[in-house]
Amino acid sequence: MECSTKIFGEGTLGLKAQMATATGCLVVAFKGENIQNPKKLGGVLNALNLATHGAVAKAVAMGDLEAKSGSSLLLSATDAWAAAGLKAERLLLISMGEESKVSKKTEKSHIADVAKWLQVGVKALVATQAKDALWVFEEFSAKDALSQVRLLTQFAKEQLYKFGARHPQFKTKPAEKGSKLVKLTIASDAKNNKALQKAVAEGIAISNGMDLTKDLGNLPPNICTPSYLAQTAKKLAKDFGFKAEILGHKEIETLKMGAFLAVTQGSVAPPQFIVLRHNGGSAKEAPIVLVGKGITFDTGGISLKPGEGMDEMKYDMCGAASVLGTMRAIGELKLKRNVIAVIPTCENMPSGHATRPGDIVTSMSGQTIEILNTDAEGRLILCDALTYVERFKPAAVIDIATLTGACVIALGAVHSGLFSGDDALAEDLLSAGRQSQDTVWRMPLDQAYHDQLKSNFADMANIGGRPAGSVTAACFLSKYTEKYTWAHLDIAGTAWKSGAAKGATGRPVPLLVNYLLA
Ligand code: BES
Ligand code: MN
Ligand code: ZN
């Protein structure tokens, strides 16, 4: 889908020109205050009511359109519209709610509200057969305009994602056609246009990144192998001018990544260690490092997982996929910062060569680990990657991982788990999550939890028992991050959906891109 802004005049003049635009669907996000009573509609609604020969007032009188945020109405054009200066084939109205009610809310719930009515509008638009649309906000509030337009573009493109259309090779019958929308124009004015154009570009880049993340997550594990992820990284490097470095088994051995090697040793697929650099900032600026868990399939290893739903463990590389998606977005935006992506990737398989419960391995950091459960493998590949990144003298390191089932129990599919000992970094991520509506919830890392990782035979065990499972996993990682500022995102509950709508979500690409843009 193509997305752009178009400048219209302000006030009645602008509205007239918008109404006179030939389009598949004119979407108007209006202020709730316009509906005080059905006999007297204000602002844009009044003009649209006249042009539709009273259809808007009628809908209001029948209770089909209300002032409350998210209330919407879809009308099909009649012959009379054009004569009255309304050239759209469809009119979609969507209430932004009443300012008085909106302003009483906290900033937090306000953005969530905006996202809700935006989603209602986008879903209604995509459900029509319209090929193009003109989207009009009755008024831009300076505070909201940019995030609103960024979210609108992001949501609209997101609705259009269809795995089957992007990868038709997996079904012998052609995939069913989805929405026809190919062009979305957002009405702006001379004053705001530059900023809004930037917001559109950001929304597009974010959703392009999410599409890549979803593709990688959804691809079957016999296709999306560690080598496939490495190839994808190389392709990104070529397309966006990153520097790519791919380390194989031998180099991983030379680096003495004993924990990573233990996880990969049961698999015939060769492990890969991917380093992708975007040098958008000055040479002396310390980089932000993103580390993504790239287990392309997690059987649990010798501590085998139960069979039911095991296919979903193809999504255990969604941390890696979100890092690649984020790199794609910042590459497209030519972000003026230094960002390094680091991805340890392998499979976790049972075999005669596989690591056993009870094995003791030495991590790259020199610390020894008793592997009590081979299914707690994410932390094993991540701990060596977290040691590796010390060499970059990073400003901050953020790891992203589908790390624990316990995080799904704690937070469900709403928030990703955020763990950090650094309040400033945690605040930045919380705020980026709110801005992008890709939210995180801060979890503890207290020293008291560390005791659960004690081992009788090694420096630490790789599991801490069932209580606070996502916290002890994060505590394990923290033992490898003492040399820099660090945060960990557990995306086990947010990276994909199960059930009928099974599929990767593209999270937390919006969060990470918003964080890097701030
Ligand atoms: N990849 C899983 C975590 C996971 C489980 C993500 C379910 C999404 C849904 C991870 O490698 C794992 O198996 N973790 C174990 C840890 C346990 C053995 C301490 C878990 O959560 O059960
Ligand atoms: Mn596992
Ligand atoms: Zn795993």
Side-chain angles (χ1 to χ4, degrees):
M1 184 192 66
E2 209 187 298
C3 195
S4 56
T5 66
K6 185 168 181 221
I7 299 176
F8 289 90
E10 281 175 67
T12 353
L13 223 75
L15 181 61
K16 255 196 155 155
Q18 286 154 6
M19 286 168 55
T21 304
T23 175
C25 189
L26 175 65
V27 188
V28 179
F30 65 86
K31 302 201 308 186
E33 285 84 352
N34 288 333
I35 302 182
Q36 297 294 349
N37 85 64
K39 298 226 172 55
K40 206 168 157 277
L41 298 172
V44 286
L45 286 194
N46 185 40
L48 291 166
N49 186 49
L50 289 174
T52 59
H53 292 261
V56 178
K58 184 108 195 245
V60 171
M62 293 193 297
D64 289 352
L65 184 66
E66 298 174 82
K68 68 163 192 257
S69 135
S71 176
S72 73
L73 177 74
L74 176 67
L75 296 171
S76 319
T78 67
D79 294 341
W81 286 18
L86 181 51
K87 299 267 165 63
E89 290 165 13
R90 298 168 190 79
L91 176 63
L92 176 62
L93 298 173
I94 165 102
S95 174
M96 306 194 279
E98 290 166 278
E99 189 76 38
S100 56
K101 291 194 180 140
V102 168
S103 55
K104 277 198 204 100
K105 299 196 171 171
T106 60
E107 184 209 305
K108 212 157 111 185
S109 62
H110 174 57
I111 300 175
D113 253 17
V114 168
K116 247 189 230 152
W117 62 253
L118 273 174
Q119 280 285 25
V120 171
V122 165
K123 280 187 184 153
L125 170 61
V126 168
T128 71
Q129 295 295 300
K131 292 189 195 68
D132 67 332
L134 174 63
W135 188 295
V136 177
F137 293 97
E138 180 171 9
E139 192 180 276
F140 293 117
S141 70
K143 171 163 88 61
D144 284 348
L146 296 185
S147 55
Q148 248 169 48
V149 169
R150 200 195 275 174
L151 282 177
L152 168 59
T153 344
Q154 182 190 316
F155 288 170
K157 259 193 67 93
E158 226 179 307
Q159 283 298 321
L160 301 175
Y161 176 87
K162 286 250 163 9
F163 181 75
R166 295 167 66 91
H167 301 275
Q169 67 268 44
F170 297 115
K171 284 193 182 184
T172 48
K173 294 202 184 78
E176 52 182 296
K177 295 254 181 325
S179 164
K180 294 208 169 73
L181 191 70
V182 290
K183 191 161 181 273
L184 175 65
T185 307
I186 299 168
S188 73
D189 51 38
K191 189 173 79 219
N192 287 308
N193 193 50
K194 243 201 144 106
L196 294 186
Q197 262 178 341
K198 189 163 162 277
V200 167
E202 288 167 356
I204 295 280
I206 289 169
S207 45
N208 282 336
M210 291 172 83
D211 284 355
L212 172 63
T213 301
K214 290 181 195 176
D215 280 350
L216 293 172
N218 290 331
L219 280 168
N222 57 335
I223 303 284
C224 187
T225 58
S227 308
Y228 189 93
L229 289 181
Q231 289 310 315
T232 305
K234 276 193 200 157
K235 172 98 180 12
L236 285 178
K238 197 161 150 268
D239 292 351
F240 297 99
F242 305 142
K243 274 205 195 102
E245 199 184 342
I246 315 282
L247 311 183
H249 193 274
K250 235 171 119 188
E251 289 111 321
I252 297 167
E253 243 170 17
T254 311
L255 285 163
K256 297 201 166 70
M257 294 185 166
F260 183 16
L261 287 166
V263 177
T264 188
Q265 75 190 37
S267 165
V268 291
Q272 308 271 272
F273 192 88
I274 303 167
V275 182
L276 203 52
R277 297 170 188 239
H278 168 75
N279 295 321
S282 75
K284 57 177 192 294
E285 177 198 307
I288 305 284
V289 179
L290 305 176
V291 180
K293 171 179 172 183
I295 295 290
T296 58
F297 197 76
D298 181 11
T299 65
I302 297 299
S303 312
L304 195 65
K305 286 184 180 295
E308 196 179 303
M310 207 208 267
D311 67 289
E312 294 193 5
M313 281 302 123
K314 72 175 181 179
Y315 290 115
D316 213 17
M317 34 55 71
C318 280
S322 73
V323 168
L324 292 175
T326 301
M327 292 302 282
R328 196 203 180 286
I330 66 166
E332 185 176 319
L333 291 171
K334 301 191 168 59
L335 185 81
K336 290 198 172 60
R337 297 182 77 168
N338 297 329
V339 182
I340 306 179
V342 173
I343 294 169
T345 171
C346 69
E347 291 181 325
N348 186 22
M349 300 291 273
S351 88
H353 294 288
T355 193
R356 294 152 290 252
D359 282 0
I360 294 179
V361 297
T362 304
S363 65
M364 184 182 176
S365 73
Q367 300 176 94
T368 60
I369 305 163
E370 185 184 16
I371 301 177
L372 288 176
N373 189 320
T374 65
D375 198 10
E377 85 297 339
R379 61 198 80 181
L380 295 175
I381 69 168
L382 287 171
C383 73
D384 281 340
L386 290 168
T387 301
Y388 180 88
V389 304
E390 284 173 7
R391 68 191 56 203
F392 301 127
K393 306 208 166 21
V397 177
I398 303 167
D399 80 72
I400 303 100
T402 49
L403 202 62
T404 65
C407 195
V408 188
I409 303 300
L411 299 174
V414 179
H415 303 295
S416 302
L418 162 65
F419 301 79
S420 180
D422 189 276
D423 288 345
L425 177 57
E427 270 313 316
D428 287 349
L429 288 166
L430 281 161
S431 146
R434 281 194 292 271
Q435 284 303 322
S436 58
Q437 280 303 294
D438 180 3
T439 52
V440 291
W441 195 265
R442 193 162 179 193
M443 302 278 282
L445 268 176
D446 304 37
Q447 202 53 40
Y449 293 104
H450 281 251
D451 291 345
Q452 287 174 234
L453 291 169
K454 281 195 173 137
S455 157
N456 284 356
F457 305 108
D459 294 342
M460 70 195 75
N462 77 325
I463 53 169
R466 279 167 60 82
S470 68
V471 182
T472 52
C475 286
F476 180 95
L477 297 179
S478 76
K479 295 181 191 300
Y480 298 82
T481 62
E482 273 161 10
K483 300 217 167 94
Y484 46 74
T485 305
W486 163 77
H488 157 61
L489 300 175
D490 193 332
I491 58 165
T494 53
W496 77 90
K497 289 187 179 132
S498 308
K502 191 190 284 184
T505 60
R507 291 177 69 180
V509 171
L511 161 79
L512 292 169
V513 178
N514 270 262
Y515 165 76
L516 292 168
L517 282 172

